[in-house]
Amino acid sequence: MTGLGAITPIGNDVATTWENAKNGVSGAGPITHFDASKFKTQFACEVKNFDGNALFDRKKVRTLDLYAQYALAAARQAVEDSKIEEDPNVNRDRIGVIVAAGIGGLHTFEEEAGYYALNEDKGPKFNPFFIPKMIADIASGHISMEYGYHGPNFGTVSACASSNNAIIDAFNLIRLGKADAIVTGGAEAAIFPAGVGGFNSMHALSTRNDSPATASRPFSKSRDGFVMGEGSVVLVLEELEHALARGARIYAEVAGGGLSADAYHLTATHPDGLGAILAMRNALEDANLNPEDIDYINVHGTSTPVGDISEMKAIMEVFGDHVYNLNISSTKSMTGHLLGATGALEAMFSVKAVQDDVVPPTINHEDGDEDENIDYRINFTFNKMQQRPVRAALSNSFGFGGHNATVIVKKFEK
């Protein structure tokens, strides 16, 4: 990892996002993107103070759904941070872009569908940018066009595992010698009526409208669903010798990735975490690491009654007694759930944990708010960050459809 960029509910750059995560700052508040007063859930973790018109020219903005605006803004940060564009020998044919979205341009789809419904008597009339703004791969296209990167270019879609899939795809293509560097990550902007209403109808979202900042409470007995988030995190992943040759700063090393399927249910995780177990074991094998080599797990930890328990069952199965030596935390307690962008955000938090030897907290846990199905001898890093050596960190992402993706990062040693 040689470059990091972030547009998140707790900061519009990496430094602010990481500082707020360490300090347990919640990004939740009343929804401002639309009037949510008649919805069961009226709050979310929105990006704040983001103005696409200040970042892109007027013609460009017309072609960009909000999710793609977030992606391109985060990509600019990551590429600048990596300094890869300062290399006079950069080969753009060997640089790719793989940026994920679980949904893509939902706001664009809503606007166009609504316009058609209002004008159906006059015949169909759609914006010519409707399709290229909406599709879930277009963020990758915009980034590649911005920099003239001609390497592998696509988007991955596996619901909430999407951006972990993107990182793993980038990792594997570089290992195969198909690229020197890949700009990768995820973006999402689904805090609009269809997104909130759809998840409400599934009873997936917290309805704690009286206290948005404390609504996301993973591993607490009183958890009642996840809090929607939005934004983008983009990372520059680079082949080692290529990075060393140009004197790049290396944040951490991607050690391995694991993939699996629950093959169980449309939306629910397997109750015993069978797919999660396989993904984590595959990642450890790919990284040539033992469970005892992991110091921190950034869990999927969405704050849903069933999901948190199944993930902990899986972790206990994979890590055995070492689970009591780990630090575990769910940063979704602060950022909410960024859907297709969540894996990239949590991979970034894992990279920063490895770099700084700091574990960010799981906030909103109160004394006595304990679930009899969860082993609280495990260190969930409740409410306050913890400093400790972090040699390697594992990050889990699981998605509707039974998609599981695990990424492992570790300290870089020359």
Side-chain angles (χ1 to χ4, degrees):
M1 292 287 188
T2 58
L4 308 175
I7 303 291
T8 79
I10 58 173
N12 289 348
D13 55 59
V14 172
T16 305
T17 297
W18 179 232
E19 194 63 24
N20 283 333
K22 289 189 294 183
N23 292 319
V25 175
S26 171
I31 290 171
T32 64
H33 288 337
F34 69 96
D35 179 5
S37 60
K38 295 181 180 179
F39 285 70
K40 293 179 182 177
T41 296
Q42 299 165 12
F43 62 93
C45 287
E46 294 180 335
V47 170
K48 287 88 174 167
N49 303 314
F50 181 88
D51 182 5
N53 291 305
L55 295 172
F56 315 110
D57 65 48
R58 185 171 58 86
K59 289 184 178 179
K60 184 77 170 178
V61 169
R62 290 178 61 205
T63 70
L64 296 168
D65 183 86
L66 184 58
Y67 99 94
Q69 292 182 36
Y70 291 157
L72 190 50
R76 287 177 174 180
Q77 293 178 22
V79 172
E80 181 179 358
D81 185 47
S82 75
K83 295 182 169 55
I84 199 167
E85 283 294 300
E86 297 177 14
D87 181 0
N89 300 312
V90 64
N91 183 353
R92 287 176 171 77
D93 291 349
R94 301 267 311 162
I95 301 178
V97 184
I98 307 172
V99 173
I103 298 174
L106 184 63
H107 186 216
T108 295
F109 186 84
E110 280 191 347
E111 285 186 321
E112 291 296 318
Y115 180 85
Y116 178 64
L118 290 171
N119 293 274
E120 56 186 342
D121 292 340
K122 299 178 182 179
K125 184 179 180 181
F126 285 86
N127 188 319
F129 294 116
F130 170 40
I131 298 299
K133 281 179 71 175
M134 177 196 71
I135 51 180
D137 68 304
I138 205 66
S140 290
H142 279 293
I143 295 165
S144 70
M145 287 183 278
E146 173 110 345
Y147 294 100
Y149 293 156
H150 296 283
N153 184 269
F154 56 92
T156 56
V157 179
S158 51
C160 302
S162 296
S163 50
N164 262 9
N165 271 114
I167 293 167
I168 293 169
D169 280 358
F171 176 56
N172 285 330
L173 284 169
I174 291 171
R175 284 200 293 188
L176 287 168
K178 304 300 182 183
D180 295 328
I182 294 182
V183 180
T184 187
E188 205 79 90
I191 304 174
F192 293 102
V196 175
F199 282 116
N200 265 158
S201 70
M202 297 169 58
H203 306 287
L205 297 181
S206 171
T207 56
R208 204 178 298 275
N209 294 312
D210 59 336
S211 183
T214 67
S216 183
R217 46 182 69 190
F219 309 111
S220 292
K221 186 175 183 178
S222 58
R223 65 192 185 277
D224 70 329
F226 73 84
V227 177
M228 283 188 71
E230 64 174 357
S232 176
V233 169
V234 174
L235 318 160
V236 176
L237 185 56
E238 195 168 347
E239 194 273 329
L240 175 60
E241 297 304 323
H242 187 270
L244 292 175
R246 67 179 189 85
R249 172 189 51 207
I250 298 174
Y251 285 103
E253 179 182 351
V254 178
L259 302 169
S260 73
D262 280 355
Y264 170 72
H265 190 272
L266 278 176
T267 58
T269 55
H270 191 283
D272 295 321
L274 297 187
I277 290 169
L278 184 58
M280 287 186 280
R281 284 181 170 160
N282 287 343
L284 288 165
E285 181 180 6
D286 190 40
N288 196 27
L289 294 174
N290 297 314
E292 294 75 22
D293 296 320
I294 304 296
D295 293 315
Y296 168 52
I297 299 178
N298 189 301
V299 293
H300 188 58
T302 57
S303 187
T304 56
V306 175
D308 288 5
I309 293 172
S310 66
E311 185 173 11
M312 287 317 303
K313 286 181 178 178
I315 289 170
M316 294 179 76
E317 176 65 25
V318 172
F319 288 90
D321 289 340
H322 180 61
V323 74
Y324 302 109
N325 300 320
L326 292 167
N327 272 72
I328 288 170
S329 71
S330 173
T331 45
K332 287 185 181 72
S333 58
M334 298 170 282
T335 66
H337 191 350
L338 273 65
L339 308 177
T342 203
L345 174 58
E346 289 158 14
M348 186 197 81
F349 284 145
S350 299
V351 167
K352 296 299 289 183
V354 164
Q355 183 190 22
D356 294 351
D357 290 320
V358 171
V359 175
T362 305
I363 66 169
N364 298 328
H365 186 77
E366 301 173 354
D367 290 341
D369 192 11
E370 296 188 348
D371 186 328
E372 61 273 12
N373 298 300
I374 294 175
D375 186 347
Y376 288 97
R377 293 176 296 170
I378 296 169
N379 187 352
F380 289 96
T381 325
F382 281 133
N383 298 324
K384 188 176 181 181
M385 69 178 177
Q386 184 174 331
Q387 292 184 307
R388 62 160 292 169
V390 183
R391 300 164 298 168
L394 179 149
S395 179
N396 282 330
S397 288
F398 312 135
F400 286 175
H403 313 299
N404 306 302
T406 297
V407 170
I408 297 176
V409 298
K410 66 179 184 180
K411 283 190 186 299
F412 169 67
E413 297 177 359
K414 217 166 191 179

